């Protein structure tokens, strides 16, 4: 088997567990005391979907930071944010995304897929023109697929930690308000 095929068929190993996520949350004061069963379940989910995208514990902490810290004004003050917003149809993506998130339905994996499909159909765009504005508005930065996983953890995390987590709906509203 060629080396390239061996690499592409290899499954990424996840070095992180719920205890690692919980430890980071406590260290950064996003969680306090003994975690509830729901919080432990969230930590397990976070470790499962973020772990393979983090090179080390600091990188995992950075991804978790995108969940627990969100400031649209700060995001929009960065040059790289304006680069994303200047691309074709970026504001159209944000307007449609906001309309789809306004109903307040929890942003689950299935709901996120529905939103992406709806945006693709309505705007007839794909790739970074579609995904980078979404990731910027909801995760706080443009980038690759690991940010989609951050987005999927938002509404679940908003259910209760020491640090208040803004839902996807709250984030898009704040982002659009800061944009105008």
């Amino acid at each position: 088997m060629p080396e390239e095929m061996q690499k592409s068929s290899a499954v990424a190993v996840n070095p992180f567990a719920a205890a690692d996520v919980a430890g980071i949350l406590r260290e950064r004061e996003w969680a306090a005391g003994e975690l509830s069963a729901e919080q432990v379940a969230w930590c397990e989910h976070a470790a499962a979907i973020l772990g393979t995208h983090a090179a080390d514990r600091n990188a995992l902490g950075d991804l978790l930071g995108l969940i627990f810290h969100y400031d649209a004004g700060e995001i929009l003050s960065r040059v790289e944010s304006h680069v994303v917003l200047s691309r074709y149809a970026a504001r159209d993506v944000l307007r449609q995304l906001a309309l789809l998130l306004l109903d307040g339905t929890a942003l689950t994996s299935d709901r996120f897929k529905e939103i992406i499909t709806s945006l693709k159909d309505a705007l007839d765009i794909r790739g970074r023109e579609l995904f980078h504005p979404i990731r910027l508005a909801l995760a706080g930065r443009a980038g690759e697929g690991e940010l989609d996983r951050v987005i999927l953890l938002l509404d679940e995390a908003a259910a209760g930690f020491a640090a208040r987590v803004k839902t996807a709906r709250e984030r898009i509203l704040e982002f659009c308000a800061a944009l105008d």
Side-chain angles (χ1 to χ4, degrees):
M1 182 183 289
E3 186 176 335
E4 296 82 38
M5 289 184 71
Q6 289 175 345
K7 287 181 184 177
S8 66
S9 65
V11 176
V13 175
N14 185 352
F16 301 104
D20 298 302
V21 172
I24 292 168
L25 298 183
R26 285 188 188 100
E27 289 165 16
R28 297 190 182 188
E29 298 180 354
W30 296 327
E34 194 64 33
L35 297 182
S36 68
E38 293 82 13
Q39 290 170 327
V40 170
W42 185 89
C43 290
E44 289 170 355
H45 187 209
I49 68 174
L50 295 177
T52 58
H53 296 280
D56 55 32
R57 198 169 191 275
N58 287 334
L60 180 60
D62 291 345
L63 289 173
L64 291 168
L66 296 171
I67 296 164
F68 287 89
H69 174 75
Y70 183 87
D71 182 326
E74 181 182 303
I75 294 162
L76 288 167
S77 71
R78 299 183 205 128
V79 172
E80 56 270 15
S81 297
H82 291 279
V83 170
V84 170
L85 295 172
S86 69
R87 290 188 189 133
Y88 173 74
R91 291 178 187 254
D92 294 333
V93 170
L94 294 173
R95 274 191 287 277
Q96 291 295 320
L97 177 63
L99 290 172
L100 293 167
L101 289 174
L102 279 178
D103 69 5
T105 302
L107 190 60
T108 62
S109 180
D110 288 340
R111 178 73 175 129
F112 191 56
K113 289 175 191 171
E114 289 171 11
I115 288 171
I116 297 302
T117 300
S118 177
L119 291 170
K120 285 178 179 178
D121 292 346
L123 302 171
D124 195 32
I125 58 174
R126 308 283 188 276
R128 74 178 188 171
E129 282 76 21
L130 177 66
F131 287 100
H132 283 195
I134 294 169
R135 292 169 182 155
L136 180 67
L138 299 180
R141 70 177 192 220
E144 299 307 315
E146 72 275 5
L147 298 177
D148 296 345
R149 287 154 181 81
V150 166
I151 292 166
L152 292 176
L153 290 166
L154 296 175
D155 285 7
E156 249 186 272
F161 282 97
R164 187 178 176 297
V165 175
K166 295 176 184 174
T167 64
R169 181 182 187 277
E170 291 171 317
R171 287 173 183 232
I172 194 66
L173 289 172
E174 181 180 329
F175 192 86
C176 289
L179 191 58
D180 291 332

